[in-house]
Amino acid sequence: MASIGGSGVVGVTDGMVSVCEDLQQQSVKIQNYIEELESLKSQLSNDWEGEDLDTLLTEFAGFKAKLDELPSVVKSISDWGLSTHEAYTEHAHKVSEAITSVLQ
């Protein structure tokens, strides 16, 4: 059985916090990427006009609507992972305390 460490159950959840923190960072990067795309889209009308531009802007709007959901989805996955880690760690500590009290 895994031993209980200060930050969780050793060998079971040690990497989970790191992965969740990375997901949160990726969520911010995705949001920055979306903002950069929006900025580039705004610059298109300086060099491009006509029906093709209109089509691109219309298609981009649909694409962007889907992209806008991605950062919050990634963050919610991270939040779920962190709360699962916390619950698992709390449960493991309670089990450890119970076993210790029985063995003493």
Side-chain angles (χ1 to χ4, degrees), residues 7-99:
S7 65
V9 178
V10 177
V12 177
T13 63
D14 286 347
M16 190 169 199
V17 171
S18 176
V19 169
C20 291
E21 289 170 349
D22 185 48
L23 281 172
Q24 288 179 347
Q25 292 172 359
Q26 295 304 319
S27 173
V28 171
K29 287 180 182 180
I30 292 167
Q31 184 60 47
N32 292 339
Y33 173 69
I34 292 168
E35 291 169 8
E36 185 179 339
L37 281 175
E38 182 66 35
S39 175
L40 291 170
K41 180 205 71 144
S42 299
Q43 296 173 17
L44 283 175
S45 60
N46 295 334
D47 300 316
W48 202 6
E49 59 184 41
E51 188 177 325
D52 290 339
L53 176 63
D54 295 339
T55 300
L56 178 74
L57 294 178
T58 300
E59 293 297 322
F60 180 81
F63 175 65
K64 186 175 179 300
K66 291 178 178 148
L67 276 180
D68 284 338
E69 296 175 15
L70 192 55
S72 63
V73 169
V74 171
K75 185 172 181 328
S76 71
I77 292 168
S78 172
D79 292 345
W80 173 83
L82 289 172
S83 66
T84 300
H85 166 74
E86 289 171 13
Y88 187 85
T89 300
E90 181 181 335
H91 177 72
H93 284 291
K94 287 179 181 178
V95 168
S96 176
E97 289 172 358
I99 290 172

